[in-house]
Amino acid sequence: MNFQRIVIALLVLVIAGLAGAFYANWKTLTQLRTVKAFVEGAVFADAVAACEKAPSSTPFKWNGGKQTAVIGLNSVKPSKDTIIASYTLVADSVYCDYDPVKKKADIGSNFLERESF
């Protein structure tokens, strides 16, 4: 009888621990999505302006584009100390990667022509 109580108590503790871990994960992911949305909103206007001014043989027309989409904020970590952020926009099948740190835009007409980091 004593063994059964110990097993049940351990099972209840494991379930409570898992529930707490899932709650903490959910709360953290919600805050992270909120921060990402705020950053994307703050960077959007700069990205559009830089992409429209970027020199390219294929013009990037966000305001006059028929099909426009925001791919969003991405990051690449080429080394353990460096993270490269990129905000990607698409207007009429023309991709524009905007670096919010350097405030520089790079344009490519399709995914294969885009500059890799």
Side-chain angles (χ1 to χ4, degrees), residues 15-73:
I15 291 172
L18 284 173
F22 281 119
Y23 175 75
N25 187 33
W26 171 76
K27 195 73 168 164
T28 303
L29 287 177
T30 302
Q31 290 176 348
L32 185 61
R33 275 191 302 259
T34 304
V35 169
K36 184 178 178 186
F38 177 76
V39 169
E40 286 181 348
V43 170
F44 176 75
D46 292 338
V48 169
C51 287
E52 287 186 341
K53 291 178 186 175
S56 174
S57 60
T58 309
F60 185 87
K61 302 282 185 194
W62 181 265
N63 293 321
K66 294 177 183 169
Q67 291 182 328
T68 58
V70 176
I71 294 178
L73 189 64

Side-chain angles (χ1 to χ4, degrees), residues 49-111:
C51 287
E52 287 186 341
K53 291 178 186 175
S56 174
S57 60
T58 309
F60 185 87
K61 302 282 185 194
W62 181 265
N63 293 321
K66 294 177 183 169
Q67 291 182 328
T68 58
V70 176
I71 294 178
L73 189 64
N74 305 303
S75 64
V76 177
K77 190 172 182 179
S79 69
K80 67 176 186 169
D81 298 328
T82 306
I83 296 175
I84 299 172
S86 171
Y87 189 76
T88 306
L89 301 171
V90 181
D92 297 332
S93 299
V94 178
Y95 287 84
C96 179
D97 292 322
Y98 174 71
D99 184 352
V101 176
K102 295 179 183 175
K103 303 220 183 262
K104 181 183 173 208
D106 294 317
I107 295 178
S109 60
N110 67 33
F111 184 76

